[in-house]
Amino acid sequence: MSDDAVSPDEVRHVADLARVDLDDDEVDRFTEQFAAILEYFETLDEVPEVDRDAELANVMRPDEERASLESEEALRNAPETEDGYFKGPNVS
């Protein structure tokens, strides 16, 4: 494993993007862990490619139309609904 594969500054940058506060010990630990993860990816590059069939087959069953729940019944146990639809939390 190369010690310079991931720098502490890069770990801090990723943490900032994820809005995660890391102390110096955590930065050191994640620097080592990220370097180990990258080493695993390098190992995958060494795996030989295999021939594969050009055509893929659908092994799923065909779609079948069948009766479903009425809207009121589907919404009955929903914690919150609006205009006949499930209502979820706002995401920003």
Side-chain angles (χ1 to χ4, degrees):
M1 171 172 41
S2 171
D3 291 333
D4 60 350
V6 179
S7 73
D9 288 337
E10 290 170 316
V11 171
R12 285 185 183 93
H13 176 69
V14 171
D16 287 343
L17 292 174
R19 296 182 177 149
V20 174
D21 292 327
L22 299 178
D23 62 34
D24 289 341
D25 290 337
E26 292 171 318
V27 168
D28 292 341
R29 188 171 69 234
F30 282 117
T31 300
E32 292 175 13
Q33 290 176 354
F34 285 165
I37 291 168
L38 292 176
E39 186 177 314
Y40 289 125
F41 277 102
E42 289 174 10
T43 302
L44 287 175
D45 287 339
E46 298 171 11
V47 175
E49 291 186 27
V50 295
D51 292 332
R52 62 177 188 207
D53 294 335
E55 289 192 37
L56 300 175
N58 184 357
V59 295
M60 306 285 286
R61 64 162 174 76
D63 289 339
E64 297 175 4
E65 201 172 306
R66 55 186 191 184
S68 61
L69 298 174
E70 294 294 325
S71 292
E72 294 82 24
E73 187 178 356
L75 295 170
R76 184 176 304 140
N77 290 320
E80 200 170 345
T81 64
E82 184 175 294
D83 299 326
Y85 296 97
F86 291 99
K87 183 174 182 183
N90 291 334
V91 179
S92 57

Coordinates of all heavy atoms in Angstrom, one line a residue:
M1 N 0.9 -1.2 0.0 CA 0.0 0.0 0.0 C 0.9 1.2 0.0 O 1.8 1.3 0.8 CB -0.9 0.0 1.2 CG -1.7 1.2 1.4 SD -3.0 1.2 2.7 CE -2.2 0.3 4.0
S2 N 0.6 2.2 -0.9 CA 1.4 3.4 -0.9 C 0.9 4.4 0.1 O -0.3 4.6 0.2 CB 1.2 4.0 -2.3 OG 1.8 5.3 -2.4
D3 N 1.8 4.9 0.9 CA 1.4 5.9 1.9 C 0.8 7.2 1.4 O 0.1 7.8 2.1 CB 2.6 6.2 2.8 CG 3.1 5.0 3.7 OD1 2.2 4.2 3.9 OD2 4.3 4.9 4.0
D4 N 1.2 7.5 0.1 CA 0.7 8.8 -0.4 C -0.5 8.5 -1.3 O -0.9 9.4 -2.1 CB 1.8 9.5 -1.1 CG 2.4 8.7 -2.3 OD1 2.1 7.5 -2.4 OD2 3.2 9.2 -3.1
A5 N -1.2 7.4 -1.2 CA -2.3 7.1 -2.1 C -3.5 8.1 -1.8 O -4.2 8.5 -2.7 CB -2.8 5.6 -1.9
V6 N -3.6 8.4 -0.5 CA -4.7 9.3 -0.1 C -4.0 10.2 1.0 O -3.4 9.8 1.9 CB -5.9 8.6 0.5 CG1 -6.9 9.6 1.0 CG2 -6.5 7.6 -0.5
S7 N -4.2 11.5 0.8 CA -3.6 12.5 1.8 C -4.7 12.9 2.8 O -5.9 12.8 2.5 CB -3.1 13.7 1.0 OG -4.2 14.5 0.6
P8 N -4.2 13.3 3.9 CA -5.2 13.8 4.9 C -6.0 15.0 4.4 O -7.2 15.1 4.8 CB -4.3 14.2 6.1 CG -3.1 13.4 6.0 CD -2.9 13.2 4.5
D9 N -5.4 15.8 3.6 CA -6.2 16.9 3.0 C -7.3 16.4 2.1 O -8.4 17.0 2.1 CB -5.3 17.8 2.2 CG -4.3 18.7 3.0 OD1 -4.7 18.9 4.2 OD2 -3.3 19.1 2.6
E10 N -7.1 15.3 1.4 CA -8.2 14.8 0.6 C -9.3 14.2 1.4 O -10.5 14.3 1.1 CB -7.6 13.7 -0.4 CG -6.7 14.2 -1.5 CD -6.0 13.2 -2.2 OE1 -5.4 12.2 -1.6 OE2 -5.9 13.3 -3.5
V11 N -8.9 13.6 2.5 CA -9.9 13.0 3.5 C -10.7 14.2 4.1 O -11.9 14.1 4.1 CB -9.2 12.2 4.6 CG1 -10.2 11.9 5.7 CG2 -8.6 11.0 4.0
R12 N -10.0 15.3 4.4 CA -10.8 16.4 5.0 C -11.7 17.0 3.9 O -12.8 17.4 4.2 CB -9.8 17.5 5.4 CG -9.1 17.2 6.7 CD -8.2 18.3 7.3 NE -7.6 17.9 8.5 CZ -6.3 17.4 8.5 NH1 -5.7 17.2 7.4 NH2 -5.8 17.0 9.7
H13 N -11.3 17.0 2.6 CA -12.1 17.6 1.6 C -13.4 16.7 1.4 O -14.5 17.2 1.3 CB -11.3 17.6 0.3 CG -12.1 18.0 -0.9 ND1 -12.6 19.3 -1.1 CD2 -12.6 17.4 -2.0 CE1 -13.2 19.4 -2.2 NE2 -13.3 18.3 -2.8
V14 N -13.2 15.4 1.4 CA -14.4 14.5 1.3 C -15.3 14.7 2.5 O -16.5 14.7 2.3 CB -13.9 13.0 1.1 CG1 -15.1 12.1 1.2 CG2 -13.2 12.8 -0.2
A15 N -14.7 14.8 3.6 CA -15.5 15.0 4.8 C -16.3 16.3 4.7 O -17.5 16.4 5.1 CB -14.6 15.0 6.1
D16 N -15.7 17.4 4.2 CA -16.4 18.7 4.1 C -17.5 18.5 3.1 O -18.6 19.1 3.3 CB -15.4 19.7 3.6 CG -14.4 20.2 4.6 OD1 -14.7 20.0 5.8 OD2 -13.4 20.8 4.3
L17 N -17.3 17.8 2.0 CA -18.4 17.6 1.0 C -19.5 16.8 1.6 O -20.7 17.1 1.3 CB -17.8 16.8 -0.2 CG -16.8 17.5 -1.1 CD1 -16.3 16.6 -2.2 CD2 -17.4 18.8 -1.8
A18 N -19.2 15.9 2.5 CA -20.3 15.1 3.2 C -20.8 15.8 4.4 O -21.7 15.3 5.1 CB -19.7 13.7 3.5
R19 N -20.3 17.0 4.7 CA -20.7 17.8 5.9 C -20.5 17.0 7.1 O -21.4 16.9 8.0 CB -22.1 18.3 5.7 CG -22.3 19.2 4.6 CD -23.7 19.7 4.4 NE -23.7 20.7 3.4 CZ -24.8 20.9 2.6 NH1 -25.9 20.2 2.8 NH2 -24.8 21.8 1.7
V20 N -19.3 16.4 7.2 CA -19.0 15.6 8.4 C -17.7 16.2 9.1 O -16.7 16.5 8.4 CB -18.6 14.1 8.0 CG1 -18.1 13.3 9.2 CG2 -19.8 13.4 7.4
D21 N -17.8 16.4 10.3 CA -16.7 17.0 11.1 C -15.8 15.8 11.6 O -16.3 14.9 12.2 CB -17.1 17.8 12.3 CG -17.8 19.1 11.9 OD1 -17.5 19.6 10.8 OD2 -18.8 19.5 12.6
L22 N -14.5 15.9 11.3 CA -13.6 14.8 11.7 C -12.5 15.5 12.5 O -12.0 16.5 12.2 CB -13.0 14.1 10.5 CG -13.9 13.4 9.6 CD1 -13.1 12.8 8.4 CD2 -14.6 12.3 10.3
D23 N -12.1 14.8 13.6 CA -11.0 15.3 14.4 C -9.7 14.7 13.8 O -9.8 13.9 12.8 CB -11.1 15.0 15.9 CG -11.1 13.5 16.2 OD1 -10.5 12.7 15.5 OD2 -11.8 13.2 17.2
D24 N -8.5 15.1 14.2 CA -7.3 14.7 13.6 C -7.1 13.1 13.6 O -6.6 12.5 12.7 CB -6.1 15.3 14.3 CG -6.0 16.8 13.9 OD1 -6.6 17.2 12.9 OD2 -5.3 17.6 14.6
D25 N -7.5 12.5 14.7 CA -7.4 11.0 14.8 C -8.3 10.4 13.8 O -7.9 9.4 13.2 CB -7.8 10.6 16.2 CG -6.8 10.9 17.3 OD1 -5.6 11.2 16.9 OD2 -7.1 11.0 18.5
E26 N -9.5 10.9 13.6 CA -10.4 10.3 12.6 C -9.9 10.5 11.2 O -10.0 9.6 10.4 CB -11.8 10.9 12.7 CG -12.5 10.5 14.0 CD -13.8 11.3 14.3 OE1 -13.8 12.5 14.0 OE2 -14.8 10.7 14.7
V27 N -9.3 11.7 10.9 CA -8.7 11.9 9.6 C -7.6 10.9 9.4 O -7.5 10.3 8.3 CB -8.1 13.4 9.5 CG1 -7.3 13.5 8.3 CG2 -9.3 14.4 9.5
D28 N -6.7 10.7 10.4 CA -5.6 9.7 10.2 C -6.2 8.3 9.9 O -5.7 7.6 9.0 CB -4.8 9.6 11.5 CG -3.9 10.9 11.6 OD1 -3.8 11.7 10.6 OD2 -3.5 11.2 12.8
R29 N -7.2 7.9 10.7 CA -7.8 6.6 10.5 C -8.5 6.4 9.1 O -8.3 5.4 8.4 CB -8.9 6.3 11.6 CG -9.4 4.9 11.6 CD -10.2 4.6 12.8 NE -11.5 5.3 12.8 CZ -12.0 6.1 13.7 NH1 -11.3 6.2 14.8 NH2 -13.1 6.7 13.6
F30 N -9.2 7.5 8.7 CA -9.9 7.4 7.4 C -8.9 7.5 6.3 O -9.1 6.9 5.2 CB -10.9 8.5 7.2 CG -12.2 8.2 8.0 CD1 -12.7 8.9 9.0 CD2 -13.0 7.1 7.6 CE1 -13.8 8.7 9.7 CE2 -14.2 6.7 8.3 CZ -14.6 7.5 9.3
T31 N -7.7 8.1 6.5 CA -6.7 8.2 5.4 C -6.2 6.8 5.2 O -6.0 6.3 4.1 CB -5.5 9.1 5.9 OG1 -6.1 10.4 6.1 CG2 -4.4 9.1 4.9
E32 N -5.9 6.0 6.3 CA -5.5 4.6 6.1 C -6.5 3.8 5.5 O -6.3 2.9 4.6 CB -5.1 4.1 7.5 CG -3.9 4.7 8.1 CD -3.6 4.2 9.6 OE1 -4.2 3.2 10.0 OE2 -2.8 4.8 10.2
Q33 N -7.8 3.9 5.9 CA -8.9 3.1 5.4 C -9.1 3.4 3.9 O -9.3 2.5 3.1 CB -10.2 3.3 6.2 CG -10.1 2.8 7.6 CD -11.3 3.1 8.4 OE1 -12.2 3.8 8.0 NE2 -11.4 2.5 9.6
F34 N -9.1 4.7 3.5 CA -9.3 5.0 2.1 C -8.1 4.4 1.2 O -8.4 3.9 0.1 CB -9.4 6.5 1.9 CG -10.7 7.1 2.3 CD1 -10.8 8.5 2.4 CD2 -11.8 6.4 2.5 CE1 -11.9 9.1 2.8 CE2 -13.0 7.0 2.9 CZ -13.1 8.3 3.0
A35 N -6.9 4.5 1.8 CA -5.8 3.9 1.0 C -6.0 2.4 0.9 O -5.7 1.9 -0.2 CB -4.5 4.2 1.8
A36 N -6.4 1.7 1.9 CA -6.7 0.3 1.8 C -7.8 0.0 0.8 O -7.6 -1.0 0.0 CB -7.1 -0.3 3.2
I37 N -8.8 0.8 0.8 CA -9.9 0.6 -0.2 C -9.3 0.7 -1.6 O -9.6 -0.1 -2.5 CB -11.0 1.5 0.0 CG1 -11.8 1.2 1.3 CG2 -12.0 1.6 -1.1 CD1 -12.7 2.2 1.9
L38 N -8.5 1.8 -1.9 CA -8.0 2.0 -3.2 C -7.0 0.8 -3.6 O -7.0 0.4 -4.7 CB -7.2 3.3 -3.2 CG -8.1 4.5 -3.2 CD1 -7.3 5.8 -3.1 CD2 -9.1 4.6 -4.3
E39 N -6.4 0.2 -2.6 CA -5.5 -0.9 -2.9 C -6.3 -2.1 -3.3 O -5.9 -2.8 -4.2 CB -4.7 -1.3 -1.6 CG -3.7 -2.4 -1.9 CD -2.8 -2.7 -0.7 OE1 -2.4 -1.7 0.0 OE2 -2.7 -3.9 -0.3
Y40 N -7.5 -2.3 -2.7 CA -8.4 -3.4 -3.2 C -8.8 -3.2 -4.6 O -8.9 -4.1 -5.4 CB -9.6 -3.5 -2.3 CG -9.4 -4.0 -0.9 CD1 -9.8 -3.3 0.2 CD2 -8.7 -5.2 -0.7 CE1 -9.5 -3.8 1.5 CE2 -8.5 -5.7 0.5 CZ -8.9 -5.0 1.6 OH -8.6 -5.5 2.9
F41 N -9.1 -1.9 -5.0 CA -9.5 -1.6 -6.4 C -8.3 -2.0 -7.3 O -8.5 -2.5 -8.5 CB -9.9 -0.2 -6.6 CG -11.4 0.0 -6.2 CD1 -11.7 0.6 -5.0 CD2 -12.4 -0.4 -7.1 CE1 -13.0 0.8 -4.7 CE2 -13.7 -0.2 -6.7 CZ -14.0 0.4 -5.5
E42 N -7.1 -1.7 -6.9 CA -5.9 -2.0 -7.7 C -5.8 -3.5 -7.9 O -5.4 -4.0 -9.0 CB -4.6 -1.4 -7.1 CG -4.5 0.1 -7.2 CD -3.4 0.7 -6.4 OE1 -2.5 -0.1 -6.0 OE2 -3.3 1.9 -6.3
T43 N -6.1 -4.2 -6.9 CA -6.1 -5.7 -6.9 C -7.1 -6.2 -8.0 O -6.9 -7.1 -8.7 CB -6.4 -6.3 -5.6 OG1 -5.4 -5.9 -4.6 CG2 -6.4 -7.8 -5.6
L44 N -8.3 -5.5 -8.0 CA -9.3 -5.9 -9.0 C -8.8 -5.7 -10.4 O -9.2 -6.5 -11.3 CB -10.6 -5.1 -8.8 CG -11.4 -5.5 -7.5 CD1 -12.6 -4.6 -7.4 CD2 -11.9 -7.0 -7.6
D45 N -8.0 -4.7 -10.6 CA -7.4 -4.5 -12.0 C -6.6 -5.7 -12.5 O -6.5 -5.9 -13.7 CB -6.6 -3.3 -12.0 CG -7.4 -2.0 -11.9 OD1 -8.6 -2.0 -12.3 OD2 -6.8 -0.9 -11.6
E46 N -6.1 -6.5 -11.5 CA -5.3 -7.7 -11.9 C -6.1 -8.9 -12.3 O -5.6 -9.9 -12.8 CB -4.4 -8.0 -10.7 CG -3.4 -6.9 -10.4 CD -2.6 -7.1 -9.1 OE1 -2.7 -8.2 -8.6 OE2 -2.0 -6.2 -8.7
V47 N -7.4 -8.9 -12.0 CA -8.3 -10.0 -12.3 C -8.5 -10.1 -13.8 O -8.8 -9.1 -14.4 CB -9.7 -9.8 -11.6 CG1 -10.6 -11.0 -12.0 CG2 -9.5 -9.8 -10.1
P48 N -8.2 -11.2 -14.4 CA -8.3 -11.3 -15.9 C -9.8 -11.2 -16.3 O -10.7 -11.7 -15.6 CB -7.8 -12.7 -16.2 CG -7.9 -13.5 -14.9 CD -7.8 -12.5 -13.8
E49 N -10.0 -10.6 -17.4 CA -11.3 -10.5 -18.0 C -11.7 -11.9 -18.6 O -10.9 -12.7 -19.0 CB -11.4 -9.5 -19.1 CG -11.2 -8.1 -18.6 CD -11.4 -7.0 -19.7 OE1 -12.1 -7.3 -20.6 OE2 -10.8 -6.0 -19.5
V50 N -13.0 -12.2 -18.6 CA -13.5 -13.4 -19.1 C -14.5 -13.1 -20.3 O -15.1 -12.0 -20.3 CB -14.3 -14.2 -18.0 CG1 -13.4 -14.7 -16.9 CG2 -15.5 -13.5 -17.5
D51 N -14.5 -14.0 -21.2 CA -15.5 -13.9 -22.3 C -16.9 -14.0 -21.8 O -17.2 -14.8 -20.9 CB -15.2 -15.0 -23.4 CG -13.9 -14.8 -24.1 OD1 -13.4 -13.6 -24.2 OD2 -13.3 -15.8 -24.5
R52 N -17.7 -13.2 -22.4 CA -19.1 -13.3 -21.9 C -20.0 -13.3 -23.2 O -19.6 -12.8 -24.2 CB -19.5 -12.1 -21.0 CG -19.4 -10.8 -21.7 CD -19.8 -9.7 -20.8 NE -19.8 -8.5 -21.5 CZ -19.7 -7.3 -21.0 NH1 -19.5 -7.1 -19.8 NH2 -19.7 -6.2 -21.8
D53 N -21.2 -13.8 -23.0 CA -22.1 -13.9 -24.1 C -22.6 -12.5 -24.5 O -22.9 -11.7 -23.6 CB -23.4 -14.7 -23.8 CG -23.0 -16.2 -23.5 OD1 -22.0 -16.6 -24.1 OD2 -23.7 -16.9 -22.8
A54 N -22.6 -12.2 -25.8 CA -23.0 -10.9 -26.2 C -24.5 -10.6 -26.0 O -24.9 -9.5 -25.7 CB -22.7 -10.8 -27.7
E55 N -25.3 -11.7 -26.0 CA -26.7 -11.5 -25.8 C -27.1 -11.9 -24.4 O -26.7 -12.9 -23.9 CB -27.5 -12.3 -26.8 CG -27.4 -11.8 -28.2 CD -28.4 -12.5 -29.1 OE1 -29.6 -12.8 -28.7 OE2 -28.1 -12.7 -30.3
L56 N -27.9 -11.0 -23.8 CA -28.4 -11.3 -22.5 C -29.8 -11.8 -22.6 O -30.6 -11.4 -23.4 CB -28.4 -10.1 -21.6 CG -27.0 -9.4 -21.4 CD1 -27.1 -8.1 -20.7 CD2 -26.1 -10.4 -20.7
A57 N -30.2 -12.8 -21.7 CA -31.5 -13.3 -21.7 C -32.3 -12.8 -20.5 O -31.7 -12.8 -19.4 CB -31.5 -14.8 -21.7
N58 N -33.5 -12.5 -20.7 CA -34.4 -12.1 -19.6 C -34.8 -13.4 -18.8 O -35.6 -14.2 -19.4 CB -35.6 -11.3 -20.1 CG -36.4 -10.8 -18.9 OD1 -36.2 -11.1 -17.8 ND2 -37.5 -10.0 -19.3
V59 N -34.4 -13.5 -17.6 CA -34.8 -14.7 -16.8 C -35.9 -14.4 -15.9 O -36.3 -15.2 -15.1 CB -33.6 -15.3 -16.0 CG1 -32.5 -15.8 -17.0 CG2 -33.0 -14.2 -15.1
M60 N -36.5 -13.2 -16.0 CA -37.6 -12.8 -15.1 C -38.9 -13.4 -15.7 O -39.0 -13.6 -16.9 CB -37.7 -11.3 -15.1 CG -36.4 -10.6 -14.6 SD -36.1 -10.8 -12.9 CE -37.2 -9.7 -12.2
R61 N -39.9 -13.5 -14.9 CA -41.2 -14.0 -15.4 C -41.8 -12.8 -16.1 O -41.5 -11.7 -15.9 CB -42.0 -14.4 -14.2 CG -42.4 -13.3 -13.3 CD -43.5 -13.6 -12.4 NE -43.8 -12.6 -11.4 CZ -44.4 -11.4 -11.6 NH1 -44.7 -11.1 -12.9 NH2 -44.5 -10.5 -10.7
P62 N -42.7 -13.1 -17.1 CA -43.4 -12.0 -17.8 C -44.3 -11.3 -16.8 O -44.8 -11.9 -15.8 CB -44.2 -12.8 -18.8 CG -44.2 -14.2 -18.5 CD -43.1 -14.4 -17.5
D63 N -44.6 -10.0 -17.1 CA -45.5 -9.3 -16.3 C -46.9 -9.8 -16.4 O -47.3 -10.2 -17.5 CB -45.5 -7.8 -16.7 CG -44.2 -7.1 -16.3 OD1 -43.5 -7.6 -15.4 OD2 -43.9 -6.1 -16.9
E64 N -47.6 -9.9 -15.3 CA -49.0 -10.3 -15.3 C -49.8 -9.2 -14.6 O -49.5 -8.8 -13.5 CB -49.1 -11.6 -14.5 CG -48.4 -12.8 -15.1 CD -48.4 -14.0 -14.3 OE1 -49.1 -14.0 -13.2 OE2 -47.7 -15.0 -14.6
E65 N -50.9 -8.9 -15.3 CA -51.8 -7.9 -14.8 C -52.7 -8.6 -13.8 O -53.2 -9.7 -14.0 CB -52.7 -7.3 -15.9 CG -53.3 -6.0 -15.5 CD -53.9 -5.3 -16.7 OE1 -53.3 -5.2 -17.8 OE2 -55.1 -5.0 -16.6
R66 N -52.9 -8.0 -12.6 CA -53.8 -8.6 -11.6 C -54.4 -7.5 -10.7 O -53.9 -6.3 -10.7 CB -53.1 -9.6 -10.8 CG -51.9 -9.2 -10.1 CD -51.2 -10.4 -9.4 NE -50.2 -9.8 -8.5 CZ -49.3 -10.5 -7.9 NH1 -49.4 -11.8 -7.9 NH2 -48.4 -9.9 -7.1
A67 N -55.4 -7.8 -10.0 CA -56.1 -6.8 -9.2 C -55.1 -6.2 -8.1 O -54.3 -6.9 -7.6 CB -57.3 -7.4 -8.5
S68 N -55.3 -4.9 -7.9 CA -54.5 -4.2 -6.9 C -55.4 -3.5 -5.9 O -56.6 -3.6 -6.0 CB -53.6 -3.2 -7.5 OG -54.3 -2.2 -8.2
L69 N -54.8 -2.9 -4.9 CA -55.6 -2.2 -3.8 C -56.2 -1.0 -4.4 O -55.6 -0.3 -5.3 CB -54.6 -1.8 -2.7 CG -53.9 -2.9 -1.9 CD1 -53.0 -2.3 -0.9 CD2 -55.0 -3.8 -1.2
E70 N -57.3 -0.6 -3.9 CA -58.0 0.7 -4.2 C -57.1 1.7 -3.5 O -56.5 1.5 -2.5 CB -59.4 0.7 -3.7 CG -60.3 -0.2 -4.4 CD -60.5 0.1 -5.9 OE1 -60.5 1.3 -6.2 OE2 -60.6 -0.8 -6.7
S71 N -57.1 3.0 -4.0 CA -56.3 4.0 -3.4 C -56.6 4.2 -1.9 O -55.7 4.4 -1.1 CB -56.6 5.4 -4.2 OG -56.1 5.3 -5.5
E72 N -57.9 4.3 -1.6 CA -58.2 4.5 -0.2 C -57.7 3.4 0.7 O -57.2 3.7 1.8 CB -59.8 4.6 0.0 CG -60.4 5.7 -0.6 CD -60.7 5.5 -2.1 OE1 -60.8 4.3 -2.6 OE2 -60.8 6.5 -2.8
E73 N -57.7 2.2 0.3 CA -57.2 1.1 1.1 C -55.7 1.1 1.2 O -55.1 0.9 2.2 CB -57.6 -0.3 0.4 CG -57.2 -1.5 1.3 CD -57.7 -2.8 0.6 OE1 -58.4 -2.8 -0.4 OE2 -57.4 -3.8 1.2
A74 N -55.0 1.5 0.1 CA -53.5 1.6 0.1 C -53.1 2.8 1.0 O -52.1 2.7 1.7 CB -53.0 1.9 -1.3
L75 N -53.9 3.8 1.1 CA -53.5 5.0 1.9 C -54.0 4.9 3.4 O -53.6 5.7 4.2 CB -54.1 6.3 1.3 CG -53.5 6.6 -0.1 CD1 -54.3 7.8 -0.7 CD2 -52.1 7.0 0.0
R76 N -54.7 3.9 3.7 CA -55.4 3.8 5.0 C -54.4 3.9 6.1 O -54.6 4.6 7.1 CB -56.2 2.5 5.1 CG -56.9 2.4 6.4 CD -57.8 1.1 6.5 NE -58.7 1.1 5.3 CZ -59.0 0.0 4.7 NH1 -58.5 -1.2 5.0 NH2 -59.9 0.1 3.6
N77 N -53.2 3.2 6.0 CA -52.3 3.2 7.1 C -51.1 4.2 7.0 O -50.2 4.2 7.7 CB -51.7 1.8 7.3 CG -52.7 0.8 7.8 OD1 -53.5 1.2 8.7 ND2 -52.7 -0.4 7.3
A78 N -51.2 5.0 5.9 CA -50.1 6.0 5.7 C -50.2 7.0 6.8 O -51.2 7.5 7.2 CB -50.3 6.7 4.4
P79 N -49.0 7.4 7.4 CA -49.0 8.4 8.4 C -49.5 9.8 7.9 O -50.1 10.5 8.7 CB -47.5 8.5 8.9 CG -46.8 7.7 7.9 CD -47.7 6.9 7.1
E80 N -49.3 10.1 6.6 CA -49.7 11.3 6.1 C -50.0 11.2 4.6 O -49.3 10.6 3.9 CB -48.6 12.4 6.3 CG -49.1 13.8 6.3 CD -48.0 14.8 6.8 OE1 -47.0 14.4 7.4 OE2 -48.2 16.0 6.5
T81 N -51.1 11.8 4.2 CA -51.5 11.8 2.8 C -51.9 13.2 2.3 O -52.1 14.1 3.2 CB -52.7 10.9 2.5 OG1 -53.8 11.4 3.2 CG2 -52.4 9.4 2.9
E82 N -51.9 13.4 1.0 CA -52.3 14.7 0.5 C -52.9 14.5 -0.9 O -52.2 13.9 -1.8 CB -51.1 15.6 0.4 CG -51.4 17.1 0.0 CD -50.2 18.0 0.0 OE1 -49.7 18.2 1.2 OE2 -49.8 18.4 -1.0
D83 N -54.1 14.9 -1.1 CA -54.8 14.8 -2.4 C -54.8 13.4 -3.0 O -54.6 13.2 -4.2 CB -54.1 15.8 -3.4 CG -54.3 17.3 -3.0 OD1 -55.3 17.6 -2.3 OD2 -53.3 18.0 -3.3
G84 N -54.9 12.4 -2.1 CA -55.0 11.1 -2.6 C -53.7 10.4 -2.8 O -53.6 9.4 -3.5
Y85 N -52.6 11.0 -2.3 CA -51.2 10.5 -2.5 C -50.5 10.3 -1.2 O -50.9 11.0 -0.2 CB -50.4 11.4 -3.4 CG -50.9 11.5 -4.8 CD1 -51.7 12.6 -5.2 CD2 -50.6 10.6 -5.8 CE1 -52.2 12.7 -6.5 CE2 -51.1 10.7 -7.1 CZ -51.9 11.8 -7.4 OH -52.3 11.9 -8.7
F86 N -49.5 9.4 -1.1 CA -48.7 9.3 0.1 C -47.9 10.6 0.2 O -47.5 11.2 -0.8 CB -47.7 8.2 -0.1 CG -48.3 6.8 0.0 CD1 -48.5 6.1 -1.2 CD2 -48.6 6.2 1.2 CE1 -49.1 4.9 -1.1 CE2 -49.2 5.0 1.3 CZ -49.4 4.3 0.1
K87 N -47.7 11.1 1.4 CA -46.9 12.3 1.6 C -45.7 12.0 2.4 O -45.9 11.4 3.5 CB -47.8 13.4 2.2 CG -47.0 14.7 2.4 CD -47.9 15.8 2.9 CE -47.0 17.1 3.0 NZ -47.8 18.2 3.6
G88 N -44.6 12.3 1.9 CA -43.3 12.0 2.7 C -42.7 13.3 3.2 O -43.2 14.4 2.9
P89 N -41.6 13.2 3.9 CA -41.0 14.4 4.5 C -40.4 15.2 3.4 O -40.0 14.7 2.3 CB -39.9 13.8 5.4 CG -39.7 12.5 4.9 CD -41.0 12.0 4.3
N90 N -40.3 16.5 3.6 CA -39.6 17.4 2.6 C -38.1 17.1 2.7 O -37.5 16.8 3.7 CB -39.8 18.9 3.0 CG -41.2 19.3 2.8 OD1 -41.9 18.8 1.9 ND2 -41.6 20.3 3.5
V91 N -37.5 17.0 1.5 CA -36.1 16.8 1.4 C -35.4 17.9 0.7 O -35.9 18.4 -0.3 CB -35.8 15.5 0.6 CG1 -34.3 15.2 0.4 CG2 -36.5 14.3 1.2
S92 N -34.4 18.5 1.4 CA -33.7 19.6 0.8 C -32.2 19.4 0.6 O -31.7 18.5 1.1 CB -33.9 20.9 1.6 OG -33.5 20.7 2.9

